[in-house]
Amino acid sequence: MEAGLVAATWSAALDDADDVAAVTARVRASLESDVERARLEFLALMEPGGLDADPILAASALAFAELQTVQQALSEYRSSALGWLGRTPEAEAEPRRAYATEQNRRWFRANPNSPDAVAAATKASDAARERTAQHLLTARLEHLHERAPIRTDTAAPASWADRLIELAAQSLDSDQVGTVIA
């Protein structure tokens, strides 16, 4: 859900619930595909009978691989959002002001186009762009969270140990058994 909202901060009209929902659905479908790919890669690495030897350990490792996949995707969506938001008109004005301010400092006033002045101004400009993009991302995420709060009351929390025991106790379909053995 969070990855979908991060993607919506730069690719959807924030006040259009349908647009935000469409972006979130696309991200969810992409993440489900990535998680399935991670699951298949994990199963391909398992030795025949490896899942039967310690099903709890296998389920834990599979869940961890899926979690890592989702966390990596969220990081990539966040990076993309910061890149896009750093090029918005709001984010362009702040670096220009920071650049001009740095060049107008007392020690650079005599030669504002010197290599030192330009380097300092460029550094200040880049930092201002990053701060502005981060601020825009945070503000837009807050706006999206306020408009569509994430429901946490739909599923009762369960401990991982209980969930893994239940998963390990489930029998595999004939289709899944063929995949695991292959």
Side-chain angles (χ1 to χ4, degrees):
M1 183 68 175
E2 186 69 16
L5 292 178
V6 168
T9 60
W10 58 270
S11 64
L14 299 183
D15 293 327
D16 184 358
D18 293 335
D19 197 16
V20 172
V23 170
T24 303
R26 280 194 306 270
V27 169
R28 183 179 304 235
S30 174
L31 286 176
E32 287 172 356
S33 172
D34 292 346
V35 166
E36 180 63 20
R37 189 175 318 112
R39 187 180 76 74
L40 292 174
E41 288 173 4
F42 173 80
L43 293 175
L45 293 172
M46 293 297 297
E47 294 180 13
L51 291 176
D52 296 332
D54 192 352
I56 294 176
L57 179 63
S60 296
L62 181 59
F64 182 73
E66 292 173 351
L67 176 66
Q68 290 297 105
T69 300
V70 171
Q71 286 178 337
Q72 180 181 359
L74 177 60
S75 175
E76 291 170 6
Y77 279 112
R78 184 173 297 279
S79 177
S80 293
L82 289 172
W84 278 96
L85 293 172
R87 291 188 294 271
T88 60
E90 301 98 338
E92 288 294 330
E94 192 62 30
R96 281 194 300 271
R97 282 193 292 270
Y99 191 92
T101 300
E102 191 64 31
Q103 279 192 319
N104 198 30
R105 295 223 185 258
R106 182 174 36 115
W107 47 87
F108 294 132
R109 240 182 250 149
N111 190 2
N113 294 320
S114 71
D116 291 338
V118 170
T122 302
K123 183 177 177 181
S125 173
D126 292 343
R129 182 181 314 280
E130 288 177 25
R131 281 191 313 271
T132 304
Q134 184 62 45
H135 171 74
L136 289 172
L137 178 62
T138 301
R140 290 176 180 206
L141 279 174
E142 286 175 4
H143 177 75
L144 288 173
H145 283 291
E146 289 170 0
R147 288 187 48 84
I150 298 173
R151 285 191 256 154
T152 58
D153 59 350
T154 56
S159 71
W160 270 107
D162 294 340
R163 291 176 64 191
L164 292 175
I165 290 171
E166 289 174 18
L167 290 173
Q170 293 177 356
S171 63
L172 296 175
D173 297 354
S174 59
D175 295 336
Q176 291 174 330
V177 171
T179 304
V180 172
I181 293 174

